[in-house]
Amino acid sequence: MNQSQYEALTIQDDFMFKKVMQCKRICMRLISEIMQVEVRDITYLETEKTIEAYIEGRGIRLDVLVADEKGTHYNIEMQVRNTVGKSTGKALLPKRTRYYQGSIDTDMLQKGQNFDELPPLVLIFICAFDLFDQDRYLYEFKSRCTEDYELVLDNEVTVMFLNALGHRGNVSQLVKNFLQYVNDHVPKDDFTNEVEDEVVRLNHDKEVRREFMVLSTRLKDAEMIGEEKKARKIAINMLKKSYELDEIIDLTKLSEAEIRSLAQANGVEVKE
């Protein structure tokens, strides 16, 4: 990506969104408006999972993780594409919330916390699409008993999907304006003007641009490593099923030497 392309990044880009949310004033105000409560202060806990987790896991990064003055944790992420599963044809985002919650909770428990010390957790996904096709600004989920919807499972986990294309529901005017700004990038009020000013400032910040370029390179490297691991796994399975060498090379794009090495390491013969 060249300089002009970086300078054209908008709030929809996950890197840009993360950097904008590192402005404490903006992040606090957005959380307050979404939650419809006054958040007096926040602490930044983590802005990005390690690249190693990206490679070994499911390609998921936790963009912005903060805690308010009462200890409630908020994970906020921008979602631009509604990715669907190859096997089911269903949107992956609902099941990805399980990974997010598990990743955050596991990380906290590894730091010595007991289960009863886990803080309330709110997962907030700002989507450039309508995940549920009901034209709502906000879809909020908590665990409830299917026999009695008034009975809530008190695990203190809330999942919220905000829809930049929505027109229905009870959200503040600021949230409506922000969602419209996410959709068309045109500021509507003092808050979205402030967000846009921050985007423009970051677009022209040389240090931030350098950080973006480095991160992009590392993620591309991570993706390549992931693809290579996948190709090796496929090659081993094909070797065990006695596929011919040429077929394995054609499908996996691995070299003959790599395939022979995998065969030797796994105690299988190469079928010529």
Side-chain angles (χ1 to χ4, degrees):
M1 177 178 287
N2 58 38
Q3 179 174 334
S4 61
Q5 289 174 315
Y6 170 77
E7 291 177 355
L9 291 181
T10 70
I11 192 66
Q12 284 194 10
D13 180 84
D14 58 355
F15 175 84
M16 182 59 70
F17 177 76
K18 178 185 74 173
K19 299 304 288 188
V20 170
M21 288 301 109
Q22 286 177 353
C23 175
K24 193 173 184 178
R25 181 177 60 255
I26 291 175
C27 190
M28 282 176 55
R29 191 171 181 188
L30 183 60
I31 292 173
S32 295
E33 291 289 335
I34 291 172
M35 301 303 298
Q36 298 185 9
V37 297
E38 183 181 6
V39 175
R40 297 179 180 274
D41 193 20
I42 57 172
T43 301
Y44 289 89
L45 305 176
E46 187 175 41
T47 55
E48 182 184 342
K49 280 292 182 184
T50 63
I51 298 299
E52 287 72 21
Y54 179 91
I55 297 170
E56 298 296 337
R58 297 294 179 182
I60 293 176
R61 299 196 326 276
L62 304 180
D63 288 318
V64 182
L65 182 61
V66 301
D68 67 15
E69 74 281 1
K70 296 179 181 178
T72 299
H73 284 41
Y74 303 90
N75 183 78
I76 315 170
E77 179 178 316
M78 178 67 67
Q79 287 285 327
V80 177
R81 288 175 294 277
N82 186 16
T83 306
V84 299
K86 292 181 180 179
S87 59
T88 64
K90 295 181 180 180
L92 292 177
L93 188 53
K95 286 190 175 180
R96 283 181 64 188
T97 65
R98 290 168 56 180
Y99 183 93
Y100 274 66
Q101 178 188 340
S103 178
I104 295 170
D105 287 347
T106 299
D107 186 56
M108 287 189 288
L109 289 171
Q110 286 176 345
K111 294 176 180 177
Q113 287 186 297
N114 296 317
F115 285 114
D116 62 346
E117 296 177 300
L118 286 173
L121 174 63
V122 182
L123 302 177
I124 300 173
F125 299 90
I126 299 172
C127 303
F129 53 87
D130 190 342
L131 183 60
F132 302 101
D133 294 322
Q134 293 191 14
D135 199 34
R136 297 183 182 277
Y137 292 112
L138 172 66
Y139 303 95
E140 180 176 349
F141 295 87
K142 294 178 182 288
S143 298
R144 296 182 180 274
C145 176
T146 56
E147 285 75 27
D148 180 358
Y149 281 101
E150 296 300 316
L151 182 60
V152 178
L153 181 66
D154 193 21
N155 60 2
E156 296 187 302
V157 176
T158 303
V159 182
M160 308 175 83
F161 301 92
L162 285 95
N163 170 26
L165 304 179
H167 297 91
R168 297 197 300 131
N170 181 28
V171 297
S172 71
Q173 189 61 48
L174 185 145
V175 171
K176 292 178 184 179
N177 290 344
F178 177 74
L179 291 174
Q180 191 173 349
Y181 167 74
V182 168
N183 188 43
D184 62 19
H185 317 311
V186 179
K188 309 296 187 297
D189 55 15
D190 65 323
F191 179 67
T192 48
N193 270 301
E194 184 178 8
V195 173
E196 176 67 9
D197 288 344
E198 186 66 8
V199 170
V200 172
R201 184 189 71 78
L202 291 165
N203 282 149
H204 295 87
D205 188 308
K206 292 181 179 179
E207 289 299 319
V208 175
R209 183 172 69 243
R210 187 176 297 111
E211 180 184 345
F212 177 80
M213 299 300 183
V214 170
L215 179 61
S216 296
T217 301
R218 294 176 68 196
L219 290 178
K220 287 179 181 177
D221 290 344
E223 289 171 358
M224 288 179 62
I225 292 171
E227 288 299 317
E228 289 172 2
K229 290 179 68 175
K230 181 179 178 181
R232 288 195 292 271
K233 185 178 291 186
I234 292 171
I236 292 169
N237 288 333
M238 293 180 75
L239 284 165
K240 290 178 178 178
K241 293 179 181 180
S242 299
Y243 279 81
E244 293 186 358
L245 178 61
D246 287 345
E247 291 180 289
I248 302 175
I249 292 173
D250 183 59
L251 181 64
T252 65
K253 309 305 179 188
L254 295 175
S255 69
E256 180 179 340
E258 288 177 301
I259 294 170
R260 290 189 183 280
S261 176
L262 287 171
Q264 184 177 3
N266 289 271
V268 293
E269 294 184 359
V270 176
K271 185 177 180 181
E272 303 291 347

